[in-house]
Each structure stands twice: as C-alpha cells, then as structure tokens.
Amino acid sequence: MTEKTGRYFVVSDRTYTDDSGIQVRLVYATRTARLLFVIPQVADALRAGRLDVMSPGMLATLREAQVVVPAEQDELAEVLERDRSAARDRSQVDFILLPTSYCNMGCTYCGQEHVRGGLTADHRDRVRARVLRAARLATTRRLRVDWFGSEPMMGYAIIRDLSKDFVRVAGEAGVEYSSQIVTNGYLLNERNLEVLIKECRVGRFYITLDGPPEIHDVHRPLKSGKGSFWKIVRTVRAALDHPDYQDVVFQFRTNVDVHNQDGVARFIELMAELGFTRPNVHFSLDRVRPWSNDVSAIELAAKDFARRELDWLRLMQELGLPFTRLPHTVQRVTCPAVKAASELISGTGKIFSCTDHPLVPRTEETAALGHIGQDDLPVFRPAGEFDGWYDEIAQGRSWCRDCVFLPTCGGSCPKAWHEGNPPCPSYKHNVQGRLDLAAERIGLRPVQAG
Amino acid sequence: MPGDPRDALRAAGLDRLPEAQRMVFEELSPEELRVVGVIQERLNAAMPEVAGQNNTYNTIC
Ligand code: SF4
Ligand code: SF4
C-alpha cells in the first residue's frame, strides 16, 4: 500500500525541551483531534512529505492519527462523508427547547427581542408528546434535551414539568438521556440546582460571565438594574463543593468586545482566587460577533482578539483554570442546524433548525419550519436552510474546503457564512501559541533559537 | 540495563498496553521511545480535563 502525508495536520513551528534534554515538536492531527509529541526529525519529514525516513512505529502512530493516509485517498471527501453521515444519523435525537421568550437581562451587545410569556399549556403538552414520540422510536438510542433562551430559567416550572416525563420515558425505552442548559445563571440557587441536576438530569451548565463584577454587571445588566455577578458566582462555587455534583460540568463563557477586554485578565485572576480551578469547570472566551444586529462599533477584529486571547489563556494556564487548548474531539456535526434529528421549539411553538432564528425578530417571522400546533408535523423536522451545508463546503462556498481545521471545526456556523461573516474559531489564528501552551502544560519549554 | 528507554516506558505504564499497541512502541527508534516514555508520564500526571464543546450553541447568552 502506498501512502502519503495527509492534509489535515499542523506541525508546531517551535521545538520544545526540558531538563531531561528531550527535544520534541508537536503535531496536531485535525482528523482525529489528537496531539502527538514527535522528535524534530519526524516533524521535518512530515513537512517535507518524506515517509521513507520514519521508523515503522512512528508510521503506525501517524497512520492511526490519520496524518499518514493511503496515497489514493480523497481526504476532503472522507471528512465530508463522515460528517454527512453523522448529520443524517437518527440514533441520537436532539431537542432544544425554549420554555420562554423572555430574558431578565438586557446585555449591551444582544440582538434578541424579549417578549413575556412562555409555552401555553396546549403547546407544552404538544412539545411533551413530540419529544416522547421521538424517545420511543425503535431507532432512538440517545435523547438529548437542551434548555435554551432567551433565559430558560424564566420557565423553570416548564423545565421541571417536561423533564420529569422525558427522564421517565427515556428510562422505560432504554434510551440514554442527557440534558444541558444555557443560562445567564442569575436565577440558579441551591434548591433549583439540585432539582435540575438530580431530577431533570442536566449535566452541563453554560453560564456567561463577562468580567469581574464591576464590568459584568454593566455589560450584562439585569433589566431590574441590579448586578448579578456575585449571586451567580456564589451559587456555582458552592455547587462545586457538593460531592454529588462532581460529574456536572460548569462551563463559563466570556463574550469579549471593546468595552470589557481590559477586564478579562482581572476576571481570570478573580475566578482562580475564588477556587474555580476544578476539573469539572471549563472557561472559554469568545469575541462578540454580529448576531443579526450591528456590533461593528464594539467588535474586536478576529486577529486582534486571537492575539490577546493567547495572553489570557496563558494566564489561565498559570493559575490552573481549565480551558481547551485545542479541540479534543472532532466536530462530526457542525451544529444543530445541520443535523436532521435535531430541532428547536421556541417559546411560541415554532420549530426551527438554527438556534439563532427564533431569537431575531426577522427570522422568527420567516424561518420557522413548522409549528407544534400542526397535526401533520413529520416525526423529524422538515429540511431547513443549512441541511445542505456539507455540499456547500464541497462546492467551495466558504473557506472551509481548503482549511486544515475543517475536521475539528466543521465550518463553525453556516448561518454566519450565509451572512458573509466568516465565523472561524480563534484557534485558526493562534494555533501556534496554543501548541506552546500544550507543551508548557507538561513542563516543556521552547528551545531558544540560535 | 540502566538508561534503557524501555525503563521510561515501563514507568509510564506503557508496557501494560495491549499487544498491538505495544508492538508499535517496540518499532519506534530509541530516541522516539524515550520521548514517548517521558511525555506519557507527564500526561498521566497532568490534571484531567473535561472537553469544552466547541460551538454547541453559537449564541451570546
Ligand atoms: S447555523 Fe450558526 S447560529 Fe445556527 S445553529 Fe448553527 S452555529 Fe448556531
Ligand atoms: S469556519 Fe474557518 S476555521 Fe472553520 S473550517 Fe471553515 S475556514 Fe476553517
């Protein structure tokens, strides 16, 4: 079998060493999301496409990481076919439910329109019936229900009511059940956290904190005008000490724009001081991006953000806050909008494929694929705007066809591409710095040039 | 034998791997083997991390 070096890997520019004297370079294999530590000669050979100088053991390792592939293999076609088949897969059914369209915050950069009121009783029963029908399908092995907003905790009673049946029926059907919630965190408290985790089986909380208290409370003000930072932080910090919650993940996200960028380092220091250095905590930083609203006055340029982000990530590493240096898993399904067995049901009962569509007035009006009140709704949602995403990549309608990160990124956000805003994740711009961090994490340091 | 790269491998627990994977290590060059041993030991010692999901919801909330 003849082989070639594949197209989906990144080699570190730098060589790293330690007191034992070893010298290594890093190879990030994006088709398998694996990070390999190789001797410099192997890195050089990879860059030169020379397989003849590799040891049999190293060749086997590189083959397994899909850095070395059969000579005739069309890797782009393989990656896209793998993704298409994951997007078509119906063994895992995902629902994203918005129990309400209202939010108790009025964030400075938000493009949502918040209206009071949640699912009506009739709609709620129809949502319940629709999810349960999917759970009972012979093809369903896993059921995931994610609670999403506006602010889903405004509809806590609905979450509790529906989850009870979802968990029970999934159990009866032998279907694995999981759940996540995307919340601003303000309405969480000790009591409802326990219910969410133990009864509703929420296993991951996505919570946004935009800086230390004086910045977060201005960037993400409550509609009442009060601050929220300390209430959110105290509740989650207490939960981290709870012995039953050690497998529950708390993922903090920080949206960065021109207004809060100078507070990010202080935020990181504060979270470390407060003891958020736990393995079930995760931090991520994201650039504020247009969200069907004009954020051009506050948005940071992608490359500027990526440069500053490296300093923040280095600080997190020094202080022991967990974050992702480079993705550990490949992105088989880009996002919910490309997955056939995934749908979002809004607070007004409309069904969408894309999580942004119900939150923006124009698309809330025009992009619905159905309504929960319809008697003729198919078991899986009708096709949406992004179901042909992998064909669009193959046709070169974004940069993704030629991108080394396609297997871990999947094109990030088809909607953003359709709107002409490339949504590339920051690691596309700062991968070399992230490889430095991955090396430094295990005590390696760059070899000084010269 | 002192300095045998296999010592590092044993210290990192790689000698307990399934046969097929162990064979891969046995076909590495001595320097590669030394690197694998040192790196694996450090990775084993590093704090485990949960995977942050990239782009689960591309939302600002
Ligand atoms: S298309 Fe973009 S906004 Fe819509 S669900 Fe996918 S990632 Fe989210
Ligand atoms: S979105 Fe950007 S980083 Fe992701 S695959 Fe496309 S071009 Fe690459």
Side-chain angles (χ1 to χ4, degrees), chain A residues 95-109:
Chain A
F95 285 93
I96 302 154
L97 302 181
L98 278 64
T100 171
S101 305
Y102 192 65
C103 183
N104 51 349
M105 283 190 177
C107 303
T108 49
Y109 45 80

PDB file of all heavy atoms in Angstrom, chain A residues 95-109:
ATOM      1  N   PHE A  95     -33.336  17.709  21.036  1.00  0.00           N
ATOM      2  CA  PHE A  95     -34.317  18.795  21.071  1.00  0.00           C
ATOM      3  C   PHE A  95     -33.717  19.964  21.832  1.00  0.00           C
ATOM      4  O   PHE A  95     -33.073  19.774  22.881  1.00  0.00           O
ATOM      5  CB  PHE A  95     -35.605  18.361  21.782  1.00  0.00           C
ATOM      6  CG  PHE A  95     -36.451  17.451  20.946  1.00  0.00           C
ATOM      7  CD1 PHE A  95     -36.321  16.079  21.059  1.00  0.00           C
ATOM      8  CD2 PHE A  95     -37.369  17.970  20.040  1.00  0.00           C
ATOM      9  CE1 PHE A  95     -37.087  15.230  20.276  1.00  0.00           C
ATOM     10  CE2 PHE A  95     -38.144  17.136  19.257  1.00  0.00           C
ATOM     11  CZ  PHE A  95     -38.001  15.751  19.373  1.00  0.00           C
ATOM     12  N   ILE A  96     -33.940  21.135  21.308  1.00  0.00           N
ATOM     13  CA  ILE A  96     -33.534  22.354  22.003  1.00  0.00           C
ATOM     14  C   ILE A  96     -34.836  23.089  22.303  1.00  0.00           C
ATOM     15  O   ILE A  96     -35.575  23.454  21.377  1.00  0.00           O
ATOM     16  CB  ILE A  96     -32.615  23.208  21.106  1.00  0.00           C
ATOM     17  CG1 ILE A  96     -31.386  22.385  20.709  1.00  0.00           C
ATOM     18  CG2 ILE A  96     -32.219  24.493  21.804  1.00  0.00           C
ATOM     19  CD1 ILE A  96     -30.761  22.814  19.425  1.00  0.00           C
ATOM     20  N   LEU A  97     -35.116  23.229  23.556  1.00  0.00           N
ATOM     21  CA  LEU A  97     -36.421  23.775  23.937  1.00  0.00           C
ATOM     22  C   LEU A  97     -36.262  25.134  24.590  1.00  0.00           C
ATOM     23  O   LEU A  97     -35.409  25.331  25.465  1.00  0.00           O
ATOM     24  CB  LEU A  97     -37.129  22.803  24.885  1.00  0.00           C
ATOM     25  CG  LEU A  97     -37.344  21.389  24.328  1.00  0.00           C
ATOM     26  CD1 LEU A  97     -38.086  20.522  25.345  1.00  0.00           C
ATOM     27  CD2 LEU A  97     -38.103  21.418  22.999  1.00  0.00           C
ATOM     28  N   LEU A  98     -37.092  26.070  24.151  1.00  0.00           N
ATOM     29  CA  LEU A  98     -37.122  27.406  24.750  1.00  0.00           C
ATOM     30  C   LEU A  98     -38.407  27.515  25.555  1.00  0.00           C
ATOM     31  O   LEU A  98     -39.476  27.729  24.978  1.00  0.00           O
ATOM     32  CB  LEU A  98     -37.134  28.485  23.655  1.00  0.00           C
ATOM     33  CG  LEU A  98     -35.806  28.894  23.018  1.00  0.00           C
ATOM     34  CD1 LEU A  98     -35.172  27.755  22.267  1.00  0.00           C
ATOM     35  CD2 LEU A  98     -36.008  30.091  22.109  1.00  0.00           C
ATOM     36  N   PRO A  99     -38.320  27.339  26.849  1.00  0.00           N
ATOM     37  CA  PRO A  99     -39.556  27.380  27.623  1.00  0.00           C
ATOM     38  C   PRO A  99     -40.180  28.767  27.668  1.00  0.00           C
ATOM     39  O   PRO A  99     -41.344  28.911  28.017  1.00  0.00           O
ATOM     40  CB  PRO A  99     -39.133  26.914  29.020  1.00  0.00           C
ATOM     41  CG  PRO A  99     -37.664  27.026  29.065  1.00  0.00           C
ATOM     42  CD  PRO A  99     -37.155  26.992  27.676  1.00  0.00           C
ATOM     43  N   THR A 100     -39.419  29.787  27.332  1.00  0.00           N
ATOM     44  CA  THR A 100     -39.947  31.149  27.353  1.00  0.00           C
ATOM     45  C   THR A 100     -39.173  31.997  26.349  1.00  0.00           C
ATOM     46  O   THR A 100     -38.053  31.647  25.969  1.00  0.00           O
ATOM     47  CB  THR A 100     -39.799  31.761  28.764  1.00  0.00           C
ATOM     48  OG1 THR A 100     -40.135  33.143  28.698  1.00  0.00           O
ATOM     49  CG2 THR A 100     -38.403  31.619  29.303  1.00  0.00           C
ATOM     50  N   SER A 101     -39.738  33.092  25.924  1.00  0.00           N
ATOM     51  CA  SER A 101     -39.014  34.013  25.039  1.00  0.00           C
ATOM     52  C   SER A 101     -38.519  35.225  25.817  1.00  0.00           C
ATOM     53  O   SER A 101     -38.037  36.188  25.238  1.00  0.00           O
ATOM     54  CB  SER A 101     -39.925  34.509  23.911  1.00  0.00           C
ATOM     55  OG  SER A 101     -40.471  33.428  23.230  1.00  0.00           O
ATOM     56  N   TYR A 102     -38.663  35.190  27.155  1.00  0.00           N
ATOM     57  CA  TYR A 102     -38.315  36.358  27.944  1.00  0.00           C
ATOM     58  C   TYR A 102     -36.942  36.188  28.587  1.00  0.00           C
ATOM     59  O   TYR A 102     -36.506  35.070  28.873  1.00  0.00           O
ATOM     60  CB  TYR A 102     -39.363  36.586  29.045  1.00  0.00           C
ATOM     61  CG  TYR A 102     -39.208  37.944  29.693  1.00  0.00           C
ATOM     62  CD1 TYR A 102     -39.420  39.107  28.958  1.00  0.00           C
ATOM     63  CD2 TYR A 102     -38.821  38.056  31.018  1.00  0.00           C
ATOM     64  CE1 TYR A 102     -39.252  40.353  29.542  1.00  0.00           C
ATOM     65  CE2 TYR A 102     -38.649  39.291  31.615  1.00  0.00           C
ATOM     66  CZ  TYR A 102     -38.867  40.441  30.868  1.00  0.00           C
ATOM     67  OH  TYR A 102     -38.688  41.662  31.450  1.00  0.00           O
ATOM     68  N   CYS A 103     -36.266  37.311  28.800  1.00  0.00           N
ATOM     69  CA  CYS A 103     -34.977  37.273  29.489  1.00  0.00           C
ATOM     70  C   CYS A 103     -34.975  38.357  30.558  1.00  0.00           C
ATOM     71  O   CYS A 103     -35.522  39.432  30.354  1.00  0.00           O
ATOM     72  CB  CYS A 103     -33.831  37.498  28.506  1.00  0.00           C
ATOM     73  SG  CYS A 103     -32.211  37.380  29.300  1.00  0.00           S
ATOM     74  N   ASN A 104     -34.331  38.058  31.684  1.00  0.00           N
ATOM     75  CA  ASN A 104     -34.265  39.036  32.773  1.00  0.00           C
ATOM     76  C   ASN A 104     -33.050  39.937  32.658  1.00  0.00           C
ATOM     77  O   ASN A 104     -32.796  40.767  33.515  1.00  0.00           O
ATOM     78  CB  ASN A 104     -34.285  38.325  34.137  1.00  0.00           C
ATOM     79  CG  ASN A 104     -33.252  37.214  34.204  1.00  0.00           C
ATOM     80  OD1 ASN A 104     -32.662  36.829  33.191  1.00  0.00           O
ATOM     81  ND2 ASN A 104     -33.027  36.676  35.392  1.00  0.00           N
ATOM     82  N   MET A 105     -32.260  39.734  31.582  1.00  0.00           N
ATOM     83  CA  MET A 105     -31.102  40.621  31.374  1.00  0.00           C
ATOM     84  C   MET A 105     -31.288  41.441  30.108  1.00  0.00           C
ATOM     85  O   MET A 105     -32.077  41.075  29.222  1.00  0.00           O
ATOM     86  CB  MET A 105     -29.813  39.811  31.256  1.00  0.00           C
ATOM     87  CG  MET A 105     -29.299  39.320  32.590  1.00  0.00           C
ATOM     88  SD  MET A 105     -27.654  38.639  32.459  1.00  0.00           S
ATOM     89  CE  MET A 105     -27.336  38.251  34.184  1.00  0.00           C
ATOM     90  N   GLY A 106     -30.529  42.515  30.001  1.00  0.00           N
ATOM     91  CA  GLY A 106     -30.550  43.349  28.799  1.00  0.00           C
ATOM     92  C   GLY A 106     -29.125  43.642  28.397  1.00  0.00           C
ATOM     93  O   GLY A 106     -28.645  44.758  28.561  1.00  0.00           O
ATOM     94  N   CYS A 107     -28.434  42.625  27.868  1.00  0.00           N
ATOM     95  CA  CYS A 107     -26.994  42.752  27.602  1.00  0.00           C
ATOM     96  C   CYS A 107     -26.742  43.787  26.505  1.00  0.00           C
ATOM     97  O   CYS A 107     -27.511  43.898  25.549  1.00  0.00           O
ATOM     98  CB  CYS A 107     -26.412  41.396  27.232  1.00  0.00           C
ATOM     99  SG  CYS A 107     -26.723  40.195  28.536  1.00  0.00           S
ATOM    100  N   THR A 108     -25.625  44.477  26.658  1.00  0.00           N
ATOM    101  CA  THR A 108     -25.351  45.616  25.783  1.00  0.00           C
ATOM    102  C   THR A 108     -25.207  45.203  24.315  1.00  0.00           C
ATOM    103  O   THR A 108     -25.482  45.988  23.422  1.00  0.00           O
ATOM    104  CB  THR A 108     -24.047  46.304  26.225  1.00  0.00           C
ATOM    105  OG1 THR A 108     -23.034  45.303  26.377  1.00  0.00           O
ATOM    106  CG2 THR A 108     -24.230  47.023  27.543  1.00  0.00           C
ATOM    107  N   TYR A 109     -24.769  43.965  24.063  1.00  0.00           N
ATOM    108  CA  TYR A 109     -24.463  43.540  22.695  1.00  0.00           C
ATOM    109  C   TYR A 109     -25.521  42.601  22.118  1.00  0.00           C
ATOM    110  O   TYR A 109     -25.332  42.004  21.071  1.00  0.00           O
ATOM    111  CB  TYR A 109     -23.102  42.816  22.685  1.00  0.00           C
ATOM    112  CG  TYR A 109     -22.959  41.825  23.823  1.00  0.00           C
ATOM    113  CD1 TYR A 109     -23.541  40.567  23.756  1.00  0.00           C
ATOM    114  CD2 TYR A 109     -22.270  42.166  24.980  1.00  0.00           C
ATOM    115  CE1 TYR A 109     -23.437  39.669  24.811  1.00  0.00           C
ATOM    116  CE2 TYR A 109     -22.159  41.279  26.043  1.00  0.00           C
ATOM    117  CZ  TYR A 109     -22.740  40.025  25.949  1.00  0.00           C
ATOM    118  OH  TYR A 109     -22.637  39.148  26.981  1.00  0.00           O
TER     119      TYR A 109
END
